[in-house]
Amino acid sequence: MALTTHSLSATEKRHWWLTNRKIVEKCIKDARSLMATQEQSEIASALNLLDAALAISPRLDQALELRARALLYLRRFKDVADMLQDYIPSLRMGNDDSSSSSSVSSDTSSQQLSREGVKLLSSSDSPVRDQSFKCFSVSDLKKKVMAGLCKTCDKEGQWRYLVLGEACCHLGLMEDAMVLLQTGKRLASAAFRRESVCWSEDSFSVTNIPFSGDATNAPPTTPPRTLLADSESVVTQLLGHIKFLLRRRAAALAALDAGLYSEAVRHFSKIVDGRRSAPQSFLAECYMHRASAHRSAGRIAESIADCNRTLALDPTCIQALETRASLFETIRCLPDSLHDLEHLKLLYNAILRDRKLPGPAWKRHNVRYREIPGKLCALTIKIQELKQRLASGETGNVDYYALIGVRRGCSRSELERAHLLLTLRHKPDKATGFIERCELADERDVESVKERAKMSALLLYRLVQKGYTNVMGCIMDEEAAEKQRKKAALQAIQVQKEKATEPDELNKGESIQSDNRSSVENNNTQMSQNRSMVSSSTVNPAVFQGVFCRDLTVVGNLLSQVGFNRSMPVKYEALSC
């Protein structure tokens, strides 16, 4: 009875295994057919079928490959990275370093990646080949022929390199993407060479020979498994774009380290303003580095704007929050600085609560988990200091000159020019323009990113307008005071001139009066002489008969010189001339 029970259980197990195998094969076949249509709705249905197949057989390589390619086609790059995160080179290196207690930061680890140091498909699962001499065996040869000489042990799982490399590229893990794509390209070329060698005349595979009446060996009606373009040309083009971005970033970081801040800003601007879109996390990193360059160059408003863009793309960026809080404290805008520090404190508390850094495991951070407690203590002290400064009334002493980027005592034209440039660059209507050149990891995050960008840009724009009004008021007060000083100086000069001209006028008046007196005296003497001559004419009238006209003209001239008219007695006998 026991033997019967045992045989029945074995039969049931075999039936169950065969049934599940048929179910899995049917799911995979239907999924391939749906994915061949390249429509999102059909691919989503295929993804559900593949999930059902993987629920029965979790390690089936064909189902894993199709699921990864379906997720890649649906642009669900985060799901691809979560599915294959054990094969990301930087994550594996970070885990190895942490296990040996000699971990390094993500920036240095990303630079230490190399193609030779990455081995995603470990060979530990494959049996160790015995290199000892073996006799010829017909059974072994038959097994090899039946299995197919073109298949190799390394071919299984090679799709992970290309699929994961493309996903890492869209997620901003550029170094990992370059390593994965180069490795996959190299392995694909090697596999093609091996297959081409096996395609000789004397090599064959029994599985490829079609038999009459055998439907299983008939040519497949479904399209091949390769849905997305992972050919050599597409991979080469993607690698070229990745290398270009990495070269640009390396040049910008070198200029930033050398103190050439304008050159660093120029290189980062070419990355973020390029014609071809860049991944979200990579752009956030470039904006953060450009904010550091602007800050070192003294452009406070530009640095705050880049921090705003970084936080719009990545709200959990610790470096962006720290930098923006420090910038607000530099211009003595303490309420905004305190707001950012409070946000950063909440983020630190969430990290300690979850016991991990924010985001998925493959996301890069510029801080390590063990540094968070010390940072939280220092941050708490800083927040208390700012609250004390605010309680003491230190709120209205904002340095708007540093915010706008003008010197104290600048002219009206300099202020208007700087304000115009800031207004054109940071208008709230143009705050979301950078999102068009950004390739988001999840298209569903577009609205939230735009909302964060608009809010932060609006706050900065209001702060700039308030600074412009304040500085313009100071300039107008200085101009009014300067006018008053100039007017007072002119009045003082006029008074001095008047005091200097008064003695000259007095002397001139006295000289004029003396001249008038002398002229009057001369006229009086002449008149007296004329009168004596006229009176003498009464004595001797014959004197005037010949010279009357001449004497009359002389008298008229004398009277006109004196300036008055008087009657003059004339003898009518003199008219006879």
Side-chain angles (χ1 to χ4, degrees), residues 196-214:
S196 62
V197 171
C198 296
W199 289 341
S200 58
E201 295 180 355
D202 55 350
S203 68
F204 61 92
S205 176
V206 179
T207 57
N208 294 331
I209 302 175
F211 295 97
S212 60
D214 192 358

Side-chain angles (χ1 to χ4, degrees), residues 233 272 367-368 399 403 454 479:
S233 60
V272 300
V367 64
R368 285 172 287 187
D399 188 4
L403 174 65
K454 286 182 180 179
E479 289 179 353

Side-chain angles (χ1 to χ4, degrees), residues 145-303:
V145 171
M146 294 298 293
L149 296 176
C150 61
K151 293 184 179 181
T152 59
C153 60
D154 293 334
K155 187 175 181 180
E156 296 295 331
Q158 286 184 6
W159 56 270
R160 288 179 173 85
Y161 289 98
L162 299 177
V163 174
L164 185 58
E166 188 173 350
C168 288
C169 177
H170 292 291
L171 292 174
L173 306 175
M174 293 301 183
E175 293 86 354
D176 294 327
M178 185 175 65
V179 170
L180 290 167
L181 291 175
Q182 286 178 344
T183 307
K185 185 178 177 181
R186 187 175 66 252
L187 291 179
S189 300
F192 180 77
R193 287 194 299 269
R194 287 194 298 268
E195 290 179 3
S196 62
V197 171
C198 296
W199 289 341
S200 58
E201 295 180 355
D202 55 350
S203 68
F204 61 92
S205 176
V206 179
T207 57
N208 294 331
I209 302 175
F211 295 97
S212 60
D214 192 358
T216 59
N217 293 324
T221 58
T222 59
R225 293 180 297 174
T226 305
L227 176 64
L228 300 178
D230 54 359
S231 61
E232 185 177 358
S233 60
V234 176
V235 172
T236 302
Q237 184 180 4
L238 193 59
L239 277 173
H241 181 56
I242 293 172
K243 291 178 180 179
F244 173 76
L245 293 178
L246 291 178
R247 282 197 300 267
R248 281 286 187 194
R249 191 183 66 175
L253 292 176
L256 183 61
D257 294 337
L260 304 175
Y261 305 118
S262 299
E263 188 72 11
V265 169
R266 185 177 67 86
H267 283 294
F268 282 123
S269 299
K270 285 187 177 182
I271 295 176
V272 300
D273 299 332
R275 290 178 295 178
R276 186 170 178 178
S277 60
Q280 178 180 355
S281 59
F282 185 78
L283 277 185
E285 183 181 356
C286 291
Y287 278 123
M288 190 63 252
H289 287 303
R290 194 174 74 169
S292 301
H294 279 307
R295 181 184 182 183
S296 301
R299 305 185 188 100
I300 304 298
E302 301 291 344
S303 183

Side-chain angles (χ1 to χ4, degrees), residues 217-463:
N217 293 324
T221 58
T222 59
R225 293 180 297 174
T226 305
L227 176 64
L228 300 178
D230 54 359
S231 61
E232 185 177 358
S233 60
V234 176
V235 172
T236 302
Q237 184 180 4
L238 193 59
L239 277 173
H241 181 56
I242 293 172
K243 291 178 180 179
F244 173 76
L245 293 178
L246 291 178
R247 282 197 300 267
R248 281 286 187 194
R249 191 183 66 175
L253 292 176
L256 183 61
D257 294 337
L260 304 175
Y261 305 118
S262 299
E263 188 72 11
V265 169
R266 185 177 67 86
H267 283 294
F268 282 123
S269 299
K270 285 187 177 182
I271 295 176
V272 300
D273 299 332
R275 290 178 295 178
R276 186 170 178 178
S277 60
Q280 178 180 355
S281 59
F282 185 78
L283 277 185
E285 183 181 356
C286 291
Y287 278 123
M288 190 63 252
H289 287 303
R290 194 174 74 169
S292 301
H294 279 307
R295 181 184 182 183
S296 301
R299 305 185 188 100
I300 304 298
E302 301 291 344
S303 183
I304 293 175
D306 282 340
C307 289
N308 291 340
R309 297 186 184 99
T310 304
L311 291 172
L313 295 174
D314 185 9
T316 61
C317 184
I318 297 175
Q319 185 180 1
L321 285 172
E322 291 177 347
T323 304
R324 193 171 68 174
S326 178
L327 289 169
F328 281 132
E329 186 180 2
T330 301
I331 61 176
R332 296 191 294 274
C333 189
L334 301 184
D336 293 333
S337 178
L338 183 61
H339 179 270
D340 285 340
L341 293 180
E342 292 285 356
H343 187 187
L344 189 61
K345 184 178 179 181
L346 293 176
L347 185 59
Y348 283 162
N349 290 329
I351 292 173
L352 294 177
R353 182 192 64 228
D354 299 336
R355 296 184 179 181
K356 70 180 187 67
L357 293 173
W362 43 263
K363 184 179 179 181
R364 294 177 183 172
H365 298 277
N366 59 344
V367 64
R368 285 172 287 187
Y369 177 78
R370 63 172 178 266
E371 299 176 357
I372 299 300
K375 286 181 174 290
L376 182 59
C377 294
L379 182 62
T380 305
I381 298 173
K382 186 68 176 178
I383 290 174
Q384 292 178 357
E385 292 179 356
L386 285 181
K387 287 183 178 180
Q388 291 177 0
R389 292 174 64 181
L390 287 173
S392 63
E394 190 178 349
T395 56
N397 193 17
V398 182
D399 188 4
Y400 292 113
Y401 290 93
L403 174 65
I404 300 177
V406 294
R407 57 180 178 82
R408 291 187 176 273
C410 64
S411 62
R412 185 192 293 262
S413 61
E414 293 177 354
L415 175 62
E416 290 178 351
R417 180 176 179 275
H419 173 258
L420 179 62
L421 291 176
L422 290 178
T423 303
L424 292 176
R425 290 175 183 173
H426 308 300
K427 288 184 66 175
D429 299 338
K430 300 180 180 179
T432 59
F434 72 98
I435 301 177
E436 299 176 357
R437 296 181 295 274
C438 176
E439 183 182 348
L440 298 178
D442 192 351
E443 297 296 337
R444 294 170 292 182
D445 298 336
V446 175
E447 295 300 327
S448 60
V449 172
K450 287 184 177 180
E451 187 66 24
R452 289 193 295 266
K454 286 182 180 179
M455 288 299 298
S456 57
L458 182 61
L459 294 176
L460 178 61
Y461 184 78
R462 289 178 179 176
L463 187 61

Side-chain angles (χ1 to χ4, degrees), residues 20-31 49:
N20 288 340
R21 183 181 179 183
K22 290 181 180 179
I23 294 173
V24 170
E25 290 178 353
K26 185 177 184 304
C27 289
I28 292 176
K29 183 179 179 180
D30 294 341
L49 292 175

